[in-house]
Amino acid sequence: MDHRRSKFKTKIIVVFLVVLSAGSLVYYAVAPYFRPIYSGSAWGDITVSKEEEILLKFIRNNLSNEEGGIYTNYLDLDSDGDITKGHSVLSESQGLILLYDLKKDDIDSFNKNLNYIEENMILSNKLLSWRVKGNEKSNTSATIDDLRVVKALLIASEKWNDISYRKLAINISKGIRKELVDKYALADFNDGIQKSTVTTLCYLDLPTIRMLANIDYISWKKIYDESLEIINNGYISDNIPLYAKSFDRLQNSYDNGDVETLLSMIVILNKLEVGEDVTKSIEWIKNEFDKKGMIATSYSRIDGRPTSNIESTSIYSIIVQIASKIEDKELEAIAMDKVRAFQIEDPNSKIYGGYGSKDGREVYSYDNLNALLAFRSFRE
């Protein structure tokens, strides 16, 4: 009798463990669709300024196709290899306009721009084609752009309470996890055959990776930790508190060329959004404004002197977003004045409201979209 009871108890325990194991597997599979992402996003009713209004009108009327794709250039020029020109549509641009639509609370525009991605950019490996021209799409992806779209989708799901956005975000993230991760480091791209051996620091979108770790800890927490380590080890110095451009994973070394300011600004914003200390970098930005009245596009990593006298709409636009995050009204106003100064305000110009050369030959979606985000972030 005791023997039978023992066997019965054993069976009960086995069944319990099987059910528990099955339940755990089911929970692990479905939990990412329901766990909170903790995006930290805040929404407010922000008045649209005249500058933002005419810029948005320029983008919609002159830099967009009817399907919701954003053209790279105003003029339809031929691309030159990896240098994209003309009416090609980049995943970069689509991600940026999605983020703007979110900030503007424009779900109709968001869905239209997202539909372009779904109809034209999704590859068989779940990543996004980085460039589409007409019916031709590249088999190469770009990690920074894929993560940006994932970010927009996760926040959209939270903002508009629609799980379909999260489902697509998770689907793309699975492609990133499979095709772009080398051990725990993210590669820059996958060309359809193999992944890049280089990791550009600004491609490591820490806020998005952290959101993915929040909903799928096992798959993404080590990727987040590795990303943060790669970024922090690329810090140049307290005298030049900017960042190396890239890390070569095969050579285990960082590039040692001039500092590309735009890329460092993106890194600083990414770190700021996950609560990392960027105080020294922000002080450096403020000192440059105080001493030189501008931020150059490149600096020497040796002595910190500008190696260019060129300014950039996108650099100033990202500084606006940095200043807005830390509620530094003075820095925000200085950077916003710079953004405004580059806008074409002549109503007779073919690119009225936009950013670029007045003849239309040097008009890039990246600058125009970053300026939109700056106007949306700016607080008077």
Side-chain angles (χ1 to χ4, degrees), residues 98-122:
L98 290 181
L99 292 178
Y100 173 77
D101 291 335
L102 279 167
K103 289 179 178 293
K104 196 167 182 286
D105 197 20
D106 190 340
I107 191 170
D108 292 334
S109 180
F110 185 94
N111 286 336
K112 181 178 181 179
N113 293 313
L114 176 59
N115 185 67
Y116 182 88
I117 293 173
E118 293 185 277
E119 294 293 327
N120 299 279
M121 289 185 153
I122 303 292

mmCIF file with all atom_site columns, all heavy atoms in Angstrom, residues 98-122:
data_model
loop_
_atom_site.group_PDB
_atom_site.id
_atom_site.type_symbol
_atom_site.label_atom_id
_atom_site.label_alt_id
_atom_site.label_comp_id
_atom_site.label_asym_id
_atom_site.label_entity_id
_atom_site.label_seq_id
_atom_site.pdbx_PDB_ins_code
_atom_site.Cartn_x
_atom_site.Cartn_y
_atom_site.Cartn_z
_atom_site.occupancy
_atom_site.B_iso_or_equiv
_atom_site.pdbx_formal_charge
_atom_site.auth_seq_id
_atom_site.auth_comp_id
_atom_site.auth_asym_id
_atom_site.auth_atom_id
_atom_site.pdbx_PDB_model_num
ATOM 1   N N   . LEU A 1 98  ? 8.650  58.711 -37.424 1.00 0.00 ? 98  LEU A N   1
ATOM 2   C CA  . LEU A 1 98  ? 7.787  58.024 -36.457 1.00 0.00 ? 98  LEU A CA  1
ATOM 3   C C   . LEU A 1 98  ? 7.931  58.643 -35.068 1.00 0.00 ? 98  LEU A C   1
ATOM 4   O O   . LEU A 1 98  ? 6.935  58.836 -34.352 1.00 0.00 ? 98  LEU A O   1
ATOM 5   C CB  . LEU A 1 98  ? 8.119  56.539 -36.398 1.00 0.00 ? 98  LEU A CB  1
ATOM 6   C CG  . LEU A 1 98  ? 7.750  55.675 -37.609 1.00 0.00 ? 98  LEU A CG  1
ATOM 7   C CD1 . LEU A 1 98  ? 8.139  54.218 -37.352 1.00 0.00 ? 98  LEU A CD1 1
ATOM 8   C CD2 . LEU A 1 98  ? 6.277  55.780 -37.958 1.00 0.00 ? 98  LEU A CD2 1
ATOM 9   N N   . LEU A 1 99  ? 9.160  58.941 -34.673 1.00 0.00 ? 99  LEU A N   1
ATOM 10  C CA  . LEU A 1 99  ? 9.378  59.559 -33.361 1.00 0.00 ? 99  LEU A CA  1
ATOM 11  C C   . LEU A 1 99  ? 8.725  60.932 -33.296 1.00 0.00 ? 99  LEU A C   1
ATOM 12  O O   . LEU A 1 99  ? 8.166  61.322 -32.258 1.00 0.00 ? 99  LEU A O   1
ATOM 13  C CB  . LEU A 1 99  ? 10.878 59.659 -33.068 1.00 0.00 ? 99  LEU A CB  1
ATOM 14  C CG  . LEU A 1 99  ? 11.615 58.344 -32.841 1.00 0.00 ? 99  LEU A CG  1
ATOM 15  C CD1 . LEU A 1 99  ? 13.103 58.607 -32.602 1.00 0.00 ? 99  LEU A CD1 1
ATOM 16  C CD2 . LEU A 1 99  ? 11.030 57.557 -31.670 1.00 0.00 ? 99  LEU A CD2 1
ATOM 17  N N   . TYR A 1 100 ? 8.791  61.659 -34.396 1.00 0.00 ? 100 TYR A N   1
ATOM 18  C CA  . TYR A 1 100 ? 8.136  62.974 -34.431 1.00 0.00 ? 100 TYR A CA  1
ATOM 19  C C   . TYR A 1 100 ? 6.619  62.819 -34.313 1.00 0.00 ? 100 TYR A C   1
ATOM 20  O O   . TYR A 1 100 ? 5.967  63.544 -33.544 1.00 0.00 ? 100 TYR A O   1
ATOM 21  C CB  . TYR A 1 100 ? 8.493  63.712 -35.714 1.00 0.00 ? 100 TYR A CB  1
ATOM 22  C CG  . TYR A 1 100 ? 7.710  64.999 -35.877 1.00 0.00 ? 100 TYR A CG  1
ATOM 23  C CD1 . TYR A 1 100 ? 8.055  66.134 -35.142 1.00 0.00 ? 100 TYR A CD1 1
ATOM 24  C CD2 . TYR A 1 100 ? 6.610  65.066 -36.726 1.00 0.00 ? 100 TYR A CD2 1
ATOM 25  C CE1 . TYR A 1 100 ? 7.314  67.312 -35.253 1.00 0.00 ? 100 TYR A CE1 1
ATOM 26  C CE2 . TYR A 1 100 ? 5.873  66.238 -36.841 1.00 0.00 ? 100 TYR A CE2 1
ATOM 27  C CZ  . TYR A 1 100 ? 6.229  67.352 -36.109 1.00 0.00 ? 100 TYR A CZ  1
ATOM 28  O OH  . TYR A 1 100 ? 5.501  68.510 -36.215 1.00 0.00 ? 100 TYR A OH  1
ATOM 29  N N   . ASP A 1 101 ? 6.059  61.896 -35.074 1.00 0.00 ? 101 ASP A N   1
ATOM 30  C CA  . ASP A 1 101 ? 4.605  61.670 -35.008 1.00 0.00 ? 101 ASP A CA  1
ATOM 31  C C   . ASP A 1 101 ? 4.160  61.343 -33.586 1.00 0.00 ? 101 ASP A C   1
ATOM 32  O O   . ASP A 1 101 ? 3.088  61.777 -33.140 1.00 0.00 ? 101 ASP A O   1
ATOM 33  C CB  . ASP A 1 101 ? 4.207  60.525 -35.942 1.00 0.00 ? 101 ASP A CB  1
ATOM 34  C CG  . ASP A 1 101 ? 4.356  60.879 -37.412 1.00 0.00 ? 101 ASP A CG  1
ATOM 35  O OD1 . ASP A 1 101 ? 4.296  62.076 -37.756 1.00 0.00 ? 101 ASP A OD1 1
ATOM 36  O OD2 . ASP A 1 101 ? 4.547  59.952 -38.231 1.00 0.00 ? 101 ASP A OD2 1
ATOM 37  N N   . LEU A 1 102 ? 4.971  60.567 -32.879 1.00 0.00 ? 102 LEU A N   1
ATOM 38  C CA  . LEU A 1 102 ? 4.660  60.245 -31.486 1.00 0.00 ? 102 LEU A CA  1
ATOM 39  C C   . LEU A 1 102 ? 4.625  61.497 -30.627 1.00 0.00 ? 102 LEU A C   1
ATOM 40  O O   . LEU A 1 102 ? 3.692  61.713 -29.854 1.00 0.00 ? 102 LEU A O   1
ATOM 41  C CB  . LEU A 1 102 ? 5.699  59.277 -30.925 1.00 0.00 ? 102 LEU A CB  1
ATOM 42  C CG  . LEU A 1 102 ? 5.544  57.797 -31.253 1.00 0.00 ? 102 LEU A CG  1
ATOM 43  C CD1 . LEU A 1 102 ? 6.816  57.056 -30.880 1.00 0.00 ? 102 LEU A CD1 1
ATOM 44  C CD2 . LEU A 1 102 ? 4.346  57.200 -30.522 1.00 0.00 ? 102 LEU A CD2 1
ATOM 45  N N   . LYS A 1 103 ? 5.651  62.323 -30.766 1.00 0.00 ? 103 LYS A N   1
ATOM 46  C CA  . LYS A 1 103 ? 5.736  63.531 -29.953 1.00 0.00 ? 103 LYS A CA  1
ATOM 47  C C   . LYS A 1 103 ? 4.609  64.502 -30.276 1.00 0.00 ? 103 LYS A C   1
ATOM 48  O O   . LYS A 1 103 ? 4.157  65.260 -29.416 1.00 0.00 ? 103 LYS A O   1
ATOM 49  C CB  . LYS A 1 103 ? 7.099  64.209 -30.155 1.00 0.00 ? 103 LYS A CB  1
ATOM 50  C CG  . LYS A 1 103 ? 8.270  63.459 -29.524 1.00 0.00 ? 103 LYS A CG  1
ATOM 51  C CD  . LYS A 1 103 ? 9.585  64.164 -29.784 1.00 0.00 ? 103 LYS A CD  1
ATOM 52  C CE  . LYS A 1 103 ? 10.749 63.453 -29.109 1.00 0.00 ? 103 LYS A CE  1
ATOM 53  N NZ  . LYS A 1 103 ? 10.672 63.530 -27.638 1.00 0.00 ? 103 LYS A NZ  1
ATOM 54  N N   . LYS A 1 104 ? 4.153  64.458 -31.522 1.00 0.00 ? 104 LYS A N   1
ATOM 55  C CA  . LYS A 1 104 ? 3.074  65.352 -31.951 1.00 0.00 ? 104 LYS A CA  1
ATOM 56  C C   . LYS A 1 104 ? 1.704  64.738 -31.717 1.00 0.00 ? 104 LYS A C   1
ATOM 57  O O   . LYS A 1 104 ? 0.670  65.372 -31.969 1.00 0.00 ? 104 LYS A O   1
ATOM 58  C CB  . LYS A 1 104 ? 3.258  65.700 -33.430 1.00 0.00 ? 104 LYS A CB  1
ATOM 59  C CG  . LYS A 1 104 ? 2.456  66.894 -33.906 1.00 0.00 ? 104 LYS A CG  1
ATOM 60  C CD  . LYS A 1 104 ? 2.951  67.331 -35.291 1.00 0.00 ? 104 LYS A CD  1
ATOM 61  C CE  . LYS A 1 104 ? 2.181  68.572 -35.756 1.00 0.00 ? 104 LYS A CE  1
ATOM 62  N NZ  . LYS A 1 104 ? 0.811  68.254 -36.171 1.00 0.00 ? 104 LYS A NZ  1
ATOM 63  N N   . ASP A 1 105 ? 1.684  63.479 -31.290 1.00 0.00 ? 105 ASP A N   1
ATOM 64  C CA  . ASP A 1 105 ? 0.431  62.762 -31.047 1.00 0.00 ? 105 ASP A CA  1
ATOM 65  C C   . ASP A 1 105 ? -0.413 62.666 -32.317 1.00 0.00 ? 105 ASP A C   1
ATOM 66  O O   . ASP A 1 105 ? -1.624 62.840 -32.302 1.00 0.00 ? 105 ASP A O   1
ATOM 67  C CB  . ASP A 1 105 ? -0.377 63.439 -29.933 1.00 0.00 ? 105 ASP A CB  1
ATOM 68  C CG  . ASP A 1 105 ? -1.466 62.508 -29.378 1.00 0.00 ? 105 ASP A CG  1
ATOM 69  O OD1 . ASP A 1 105 ? -1.358 61.287 -29.566 1.00 0.00 ? 105 ASP A OD1 1
ATOM 70  O OD2 . ASP A 1 105 ? -2.428 63.018 -28.780 1.00 0.00 ? 105 ASP A OD2 1
ATOM 71  N N   . ASP A 1 106 ? 0.266  62.356 -33.434 1.00 0.00 ? 106 ASP A N   1
ATOM 72  C CA  . ASP A 1 106 ? -0.404 62.260 -34.732 1.00 0.00 ? 106 ASP A CA  1
ATOM 73  C C   . ASP A 1 106 ? -0.432 60.799 -35.165 1.00 0.00 ? 106 ASP A C   1
ATOM 74  O O   . ASP A 1 106 ? 0.446  60.321 -35.886 1.00 0.00 ? 106 ASP A O   1
ATOM 75  C CB  . ASP A 1 106 ? 0.338  63.115 -35.760 1.00 0.00 ? 106 ASP A CB  1
ATOM 76  C CG  . ASP A 1 106 ? -0.426 63.263 -37.067 1.00 0.00 ? 106 ASP A CG  1
ATOM 77  O OD1 . ASP A 1 106 ? -1.318 62.428 -37.332 1.00 0.00 ? 106 ASP A OD1 1
ATOM 78  O OD2 . ASP A 1 106 ? -0.126 64.203 -37.824 1.00 0.00 ? 106 ASP A OD2 1
ATOM 79  N N   . ILE A 1 107 ? -1.450 60.082 -34.707 1.00 0.00 ? 107 ILE A N   1
ATOM 80  C CA  . ILE A 1 107 ? -1.515 58.647 -34.971 1.00 0.00 ? 107 ILE A CA  1
ATOM 81  C C   . ILE A 1 107 ? -1.762 58.352 -36.445 1.00 0.00 ? 107 ILE A C   1
ATOM 82  O O   . ILE A 1 107 ? -1.280 57.342 -36.977 1.00 0.00 ? 107 ILE A O   1
ATOM 83  C CB  . ILE A 1 107 ? -2.583 57.976 -34.085 1.00 0.00 ? 107 ILE A CB  1
ATOM 84  C CG1 . ILE A 1 107 ? -2.457 56.447 -34.155 1.00 0.00 ? 107 ILE A CG1 1
ATOM 85  C CG2 . ILE A 1 107 ? -3.979 58.439 -34.466 1.00 0.00 ? 107 ILE A CG2 1
ATOM 86  C CD1 . ILE A 1 107 ? -3.313 55.717 -33.136 1.00 0.00 ? 107 ILE A CD1 1
ATOM 87  N N   . ASP A 1 108 ? -2.481 59.218 -37.150 1.00 0.00 ? 108 ASP A N   1
ATOM 88  C CA  . ASP A 1 108 ? -2.741 58.986 -38.566 1.00 0.00 ? 108 ASP A CA  1
ATOM 89  C C   . ASP A 1 108 ? -1.454 59.054 -39.378 1.00 0.00 ? 108 ASP A C   1
ATOM 90  O O   . ASP A 1 108 ? -1.197 58.200 -40.244 1.00 0.00 ? 108 ASP A O   1
ATOM 91  C CB  . ASP A 1 108 ? -3.755 59.998 -39.099 1.00 0.00 ? 108 ASP A CB  1
ATOM 92  C CG  . ASP A 1 108 ? -5.149 59.791 -38.518 1.00 0.00 ? 108 ASP A CG  1
ATOM 93  O OD1 . ASP A 1 108 ? -5.460 58.648 -38.123 1.00 0.00 ? 108 ASP A OD1 1
ATOM 94  O OD2 . ASP A 1 108 ? -5.916 60.765 -38.457 1.00 0.00 ? 108 ASP A OD2 1
ATOM 95  N N   . SER A 1 109 ? -0.646 60.075 -39.116 1.00 0.00 ? 109 SER A N   1
ATOM 96  C CA  . SER A 1 109 ? 0.633  60.185 -39.806 1.00 0.00 ? 109 SER A CA  1
ATOM 97  C C   . SER A 1 109 ? 1.557  59.039 -39.423 1.00 0.00 ? 109 SER A C   1
ATOM 98  O O   . SER A 1 109 ? 2.260  58.477 -40.264 1.00 0.00 ? 109 SER A O   1
ATOM 99  C CB  . SER A 1 109 ? 1.294  61.529 -39.476 1.00 0.00 ? 109 SER A CB  1
ATOM 100 O OG  . SER A 1 109 ? 2.536  61.652 -40.133 1.00 0.00 ? 109 SER A OG  1
ATOM 101 N N   . PHE A 1 110 ? 1.534  58.669 -38.136 1.00 0.00 ? 110 PHE A N   1
ATOM 102 C CA  . PHE A 1 110 ? 2.356  57.552 -37.665 1.00 0.00 ? 110 PHE A CA  1
ATOM 103 C C   . PHE A 1 110 ? 2.011  56.283 -38.432 1.00 0.00 ? 110 PHE A C   1
ATOM 104 O O   . PHE A 1 110 ? 2.898  55.578 -38.930 1.00 0.00 ? 110 PHE A O   1
ATOM 105 C CB  . PHE A 1 110 ? 2.132  57.335 -36.166 1.00 0.00 ? 110 PHE A CB  1
ATOM 106 C CG  . PHE A 1 110 ? 3.011  56.295 -35.544 1.00 0.00 ? 110 PHE A CG  1
ATOM 107 C CD1 . PHE A 1 110 ? 4.206  56.645 -34.937 1.00 0.00 ? 110 PHE A CD1 1
ATOM 108 C CD2 . PHE A 1 110 ? 2.649  54.942 -35.547 1.00 0.00 ? 110 PHE A CD2 1
ATOM 109 C CE1 . PHE A 1 110 ? 5.026  55.685 -34.353 1.00 0.00 ? 110 PHE A CE1 1
ATOM 110 C CE2 . PHE A 1 110 ? 3.450  53.975 -34.973 1.00 0.00 ? 110 PHE A CE2 1
ATOM 111 C CZ  . PHE A 1 110 ? 4.653  54.352 -34.373 1.00 0.00 ? 110 PHE A CZ  1
ATOM 112 N N   . ASN A 1 111 ? 0.738  55.996 -38.548 1.00 0.00 ? 111 ASN A N   1
ATOM 113 C CA  . ASN A 1 111 ? 0.321  54.768 -39.222 1.00 0.00 ? 111 ASN A CA  1
ATOM 114 C C   . ASN A 1 111 ? 0.660  54.798 -40.713 1.00 0.00 ? 111 ASN A C   1
ATOM 115 O O   . ASN A 1 111 ? 1.014  53.765 -41.295 1.00 0.00 ? 111 ASN A O   1
ATOM 116 C CB  . ASN A 1 111 ? -1.178 54.540 -39.021 1.00 0.00 ? 111 ASN A CB  1
ATOM 117 C CG  . ASN A 1 111 ? -1.506 54.084 -37.614 1.00 0.00 ? 111 ASN A CG  1
ATOM 118 O OD1 . ASN A 1 111 ? -0.660 53.515 -36.917 1.00 0.00 ? 111 ASN A OD1 1
ATOM 119 N ND2 . ASN A 1 111 ? -2.720 54.340 -37.170 1.00 0.00 ? 111 ASN A ND2 1
ATOM 120 N N   . LYS A 1 112 ? 0.563  55.959 -41.324 1.00 0.00 ? 112 LYS A N   1
ATOM 121 C CA  . LYS A 1 112 ? 0.909  56.067 -42.736 1.00 0.00 ? 112 LYS A CA  1
ATOM 122 C C   . LYS A 1 112 ? 2.392  55.826 -42.952 1.00 0.00 ? 112 LYS A C   1
ATOM 123 O O   . LYS A 1 112 ? 2.801  55.068 -43.841 1.00 0.00 ? 112 LYS A O   1
ATOM 124 C CB  . LYS A 1 112 ? 0.514  57.439 -43.277 1.00 0.00 ? 112 LYS A CB  1
ATOM 125 C CG  . LYS A 1 112 ? 0.817  57.611 -44.766 1.00 0.00 ? 112 LYS A CG  1
ATOM 126 C CD  . LYS A 1 112 ? 0.358  58.967 -45.276 1.00 0.00 ? 112 LYS A CD  1
ATOM 127 C CE  . LYS A 1 112 ? 0.648  59.109 -46.776 1.00 0.00 ? 112 LYS A CE  1
ATOM 128 N NZ  . LYS A 1 112 ? 0.184  60.419 -47.296 1.00 0.00 ? 112 LYS A NZ  1
ATOM 129 N N   . ASN A 1 113 ? 3.223  56.449 -42.126 1.00 0.00 ? 113 ASN A N   1
ATOM 130 C CA  . ASN A 1 113 ? 4.669  56.275 -42.254 1.00 0.00 ? 113 ASN A CA  1
ATOM 131 C C   . ASN A 1 113 ? 5.094  54.860 -41.879 1.00 0.00 ? 113 ASN A C   1
ATOM 132 O O   . ASN A 1 113 ? 6.022  54.307 -42.474 1.00 0.00 ? 113 ASN A O   1
ATOM 133 C CB  . ASN A 1 113 ? 5.396  57.313 -41.389 1.00 0.00 ? 113 ASN A CB  1
ATOM 134 C CG  . ASN A 1 113 ? 5.191  58.723 -41.900 1.00 0.00 ? 113 ASN A CG  1
ATOM 135 O OD1 . ASN A 1 113 ? 5.314  59.002 -43.077 1.00 0.00 ? 113 ASN A OD1 1
ATOM 136 N ND2 . ASN A 1 113 ? 4.852  59.642 -40.999 1.00 0.00 ? 113 ASN A ND2 1
ATOM 137 N N   . LEU A 1 114 ? 4.412  54.278 -40.908 1.00 0.00 ? 114 LEU A N   1
ATOM 138 C CA  . LEU A 1 114 ? 4.703  52.897 -40.529 1.00 0.00 ? 114 LEU A CA  1
ATOM 139 C C   . LEU A 1 114 ? 4.284  51.944 -41.639 1.00 0.00 ? 114 LEU A C   1
ATOM 140 O O   . LEU A 1 114 ? 4.975  50.954 -41.914 1.00 0.00 ? 114 LEU A O   1
ATOM 141 C CB  . LEU A 1 114 ? 3.962  52.545 -39.237 1.00 0.00 ? 114 LEU A CB  1
ATOM 142 C CG  . LEU A 1 114 ? 4.080  51.097 -38.759 1.00 0.00 ? 114 LEU A CG  1
ATOM 143 C CD1 . LEU A 1 114 ? 5.536  50.712 -38.510 1.00 0.00 ? 114 LEU A CD1 1
ATOM 144 C CD2 . LEU A 1 114 ? 3.242  50.881 -37.503 1.00 0.00 ? 114 LEU A CD2 1
ATOM 145 N N   . ASN A 1 115 ? 3.169  52.223 -42.277 1.00 0.00 ? 115 ASN A N   1
ATOM 146 C CA  . ASN A 1 115 ? 2.701  51.359 -43.364 1.00 0.00 ? 115 ASN A CA  1
ATOM 147 C C   . ASN A 1 115 ? 3.730  51.279 -44.487 1.00 0.00 ? 115 ASN A C   1
ATOM 148 O O   . ASN A 1 115 ? 3.916  50.218 -45.099 1.00 0.00 ? 115 ASN A O   1
ATOM 149 C CB  . ASN A 1 115 ? 1.369  51.880 -43.912 1.00 0.00 ? 115 ASN A CB  1
ATOM 150 C CG  . ASN A 1 115 ? 0.779  50.952 -44.954 1.00 0.00 ? 115 ASN A CG  1
ATOM 151 O OD1 . ASN A 1 115 ? 0.379  49.833 -44.662 1.00 0.00 ? 115 ASN A OD1 1
ATOM 152 N ND2 . ASN A 1 115 ? 0.733  51.410 -46.201 1.00 0.00 ? 115 ASN A ND2 1
ATOM 153 N N   . TYR A 1 116 ? 4.411  52.396 -44.738 1.00 0.00 ? 116 TYR A N   1
ATOM 154 C CA  . TYR A 1 116 ? 5.463  52.365 -45.764 1.00 0.00 ? 116 TYR A CA  1
ATOM 155 C C   . TYR A 1 116 ? 6.539  51.357 -45.375 1.00 0.00 ? 116 TYR A C   1
ATOM 156 O O   . TYR A 1 116 ? 7.029  50.588 -46.214 1.00 0.00 ? 116 TYR A O   1
ATOM 157 C CB  . TYR A 1 116 ? 6.090  53.747 -45.963 1.00 0.00 ? 116 TYR A CB  1
ATOM 158 C CG  . TYR A 1 116 ? 7.142  53.727 -47.053 1.00 0.00 ? 116 TYR A CG  1
ATOM 159 C CD1 . TYR A 1 116 ? 6.792  53.942 -48.377 1.00 0.00 ? 116 TYR A CD1 1
ATOM 160 C CD2 . TYR A 1 116 ? 8.476  53.422 -46.761 1.00 0.00 ? 116 TYR A CD2 1
ATOM 161 C CE1 . TYR A 1 116 ? 7.743  53.872 -49.390 1.00 0.00 ? 116 TYR A CE1 1
ATOM 162 C CE2 . TYR A 1 116 ? 9.422  53.349 -47.760 1.00 0.00 ? 116 TYR A CE2 1
ATOM 163 C CZ  . TYR A 1 116 ? 9.047  53.571 -49.065 1.00 0.00 ? 116 TYR A CZ  1
ATOM 164 O OH  . TYR A 1 116 ? 9.998  53.491 -50.060 1.00 0.00 ? 116 TYR A OH  1
ATOM 165 N N   . ILE A 1 117 ? 6.913  51.354 -44.106 1.00 0.00 ? 117 ILE A N   1
ATOM 166 C CA  . ILE A 1 117 ? 7.915  50.407 -43.624 1.00 0.00 ? 117 ILE A CA  1
ATOM 167 C C   . ILE A 1 117 ? 7.437  48.977 -43.817 1.00 0.00 ? 117 ILE A C   1
ATOM 168 O O   . ILE A 1 117 ? 8.160  48.127 -44.354 1.00 0.00 ? 117 ILE A O   1
ATOM 169 C CB  . ILE A 1 117 ? 8.233  50.665 -42.135 1.00 0.00 ? 117 ILE A CB  1
ATOM 170 C CG1 . ILE A 1 117 ? 8.922  52.011 -41.962 1.00 0.00 ? 117 ILE A CG1 1
ATOM 171 C CG2 . ILE A 1 117 ? 9.095  49.537 -41.552 1.00 0.00 ? 117 ILE A CG2 1
ATOM 172 C CD1 . ILE A 1 117 ? 9.124  52.417 -40.508 1.00 0.00 ? 117 ILE A CD1 1
ATOM 173 N N   . GLU A 1 118 ? 6.217  48.702 -43.397 1.00 0.00 ? 118 GLU A N   1
ATOM 174 C CA  . GLU A 1 118 ? 5.699  47.340 -43.478 1.00 0.00 ? 118 GLU A CA  1
ATOM 175 C C   . GLU A 1 118 ? 5.566  46.861 -44.915 1.00 0.00 ? 118 GLU A C   1
ATOM 176 O O   . GLU A 1 118 ? 5.807  45.693 -45.216 1.00 0.00 ? 118 GLU A O   1
ATOM 177 C CB  . GLU A 1 118 ? 4.348  47.265 -42.765 1.00 0.00 ? 118 GLU A CB  1
ATOM 178 C CG  . GLU A 1 118 ? 4.440  47.469 -41.262 1.00 0.00 ? 118 GLU A CG  1
ATOM 179 C CD  . GLU A 1 118 ? 3.112  47.276 -40.568 1.00 0.00 ? 118 GLU A CD  1
ATOM 180 O OE1 . GLU A 1 118 ? 2.305  48.229 -40.546 1.00 0.00 ? 118 GLU A OE1 1
ATOM 181 O OE2 . GLU A 1 118 ? 2.878  46.169 -40.060 1.00 0.00 ? 118 GLU A OE2 1
ATOM 182 N N   . GLU A 1 119 ? 5.194  47.760 -45.806 1.00 0.00 ? 119 GLU A N   1
ATOM 183 C CA  . GLU A 1 119 ? 4.966  47.378 -47.195 1.00 0.00 ? 119 GLU A CA  1
ATOM 184 C C   . GLU A 1 119 ? 6.245  47.311 -48.016 1.00 0.00 ? 119 GLU A C   1
ATOM 185 O O   . GLU A 1 119 ? 6.316  46.573 -49.008 1.00 0.00 ? 119 GLU A O   1
ATOM 186 C CB  . GLU A 1 119 ? 4.001  48.369 -47.859 1.00 0.00 ? 119 GLU A CB  1
ATOM 187 C CG  . GLU A 1 119 ? 2.588  48.346 -47.301 1.00 0.00 ? 119 GLU A CG  1
ATOM 188 C CD  . GLU A 1 119 ? 1.877  47.037 -47.596 1.00 0.00 ? 119 GLU A CD  1
ATOM 189 O OE1 . GLU A 1 119 ? 2.141  46.444 -48.657 1.00 0.00 ? 119 GLU A OE1 1
ATOM 190 O OE2 . GLU A 1 119 ? 1.070  46.600 -46.743 1.00 0.00 ? 119 GLU A OE2 1
ATOM 191 N N   . ASN A 1 120 ? 7.273  48.065 -47.619 1.00 0.00 ? 120 ASN A N   1
ATOM 192 C CA  . ASN A 1 120 ? 8.430  48.223 -48.498 1.00 0.00 ? 120 ASN A CA  1
ATOM 193 C C   . ASN A 1 120 ? 9.787  47.868 -47.888 1.00 0.00 ? 120 ASN A C   1
ATOM 194 O O   . ASN A 1 120 ? 10.757 47.692 -48.629 1.00 0.00 ? 120 ASN A O   1
ATOM 195 C CB  . ASN A 1 120 ? 8.509  49.675 -48.992 1.00 0.00 ? 120 ASN A CB  1
ATOM 196 C CG  . ASN A 1 120 ? 7.307  50.095 -49.793 1.00 0.00 ? 120 ASN A CG  1
ATOM 197 O OD1 . ASN A 1 120 ? 7.198  49.812 -50.978 1.00 0.00 ? 120 ASN A OD1 1
ATOM 198 N ND2 . ASN A 1 120 ? 6.374  50.772 -49.127 1.00 0.00 ? 120 ASN A ND2 1
ATOM 199 N N   . MET A 1 121 ? 9.891  47.777 -46.569 1.00 0.00 ? 121 MET A N   1
ATOM 200 C CA  . MET A 1 121 ? 11.211 47.696 -45.958 1.00 0.00 ? 121 MET A CA  1
ATOM 201 C C   . MET A 1 121 ? 11.504 46.422 -45.183 1.00 0.00 ? 121 MET A C   1
ATOM 202 O O   . MET A 1 121 ? 12.669 46.128 -44.929 1.00 0.00 ? 121 MET A O   1
ATOM 203 C CB  . MET A 1 121 ? 11.438 48.902 -45.030 1.00 0.00 ? 121 MET A CB  1
ATOM 204 C CG  . MET A 1 121 ? 11.613 50.204 -45.768 1.00 0.00 ? 121 MET A CG  1
ATOM 205 S SD  . MET A 1 121 ? 12.035 51.587 -44.688 1.00 0.00 ? 121 MET A SD  1
ATOM 206 C CE  . MET A 1 121 ? 12.929 52.630 -45.854 1.00 0.00 ? 121 MET A CE  1
ATOM 207 N N   . ILE A 1 122 ? 10.500 45.684 -44.780 1.00 0.00 ? 122 ILE A N   1
ATOM 208 C CA  . ILE A 1 122 ? 10.747 44.494 -43.981 1.00 0.00 ? 122 ILE A CA  1
ATOM 209 C C   . ILE A 1 122 ? 11.387 43.405 -44.841 1.00 0.00 ? 122 ILE A C   1
ATOM 210 O O   . ILE A 1 122 ? 10.857 43.026 -45.884 1.00 0.00 ? 122 ILE A O   1
ATOM 211 C CB  . ILE A 1 122 ? 9.449  43.954 -43.357 1.00 0.00 ? 122 ILE A CB  1
ATOM 212 C CG1 . ILE A 1 122 ? 8.771  45.031 -42.499 1.00 0.00 ? 122 ILE A CG1 1
ATOM 213 C CG2 . ILE A 1 122 ? 9.733  42.701 -42.533 1.00 0.00 ? 122 ILE A CG2 1
ATOM 214 C CD1 . ILE A 1 122 ? 9.518  45.407 -41.259 1.00 0.00 ? 122 ILE A CD1 1
#
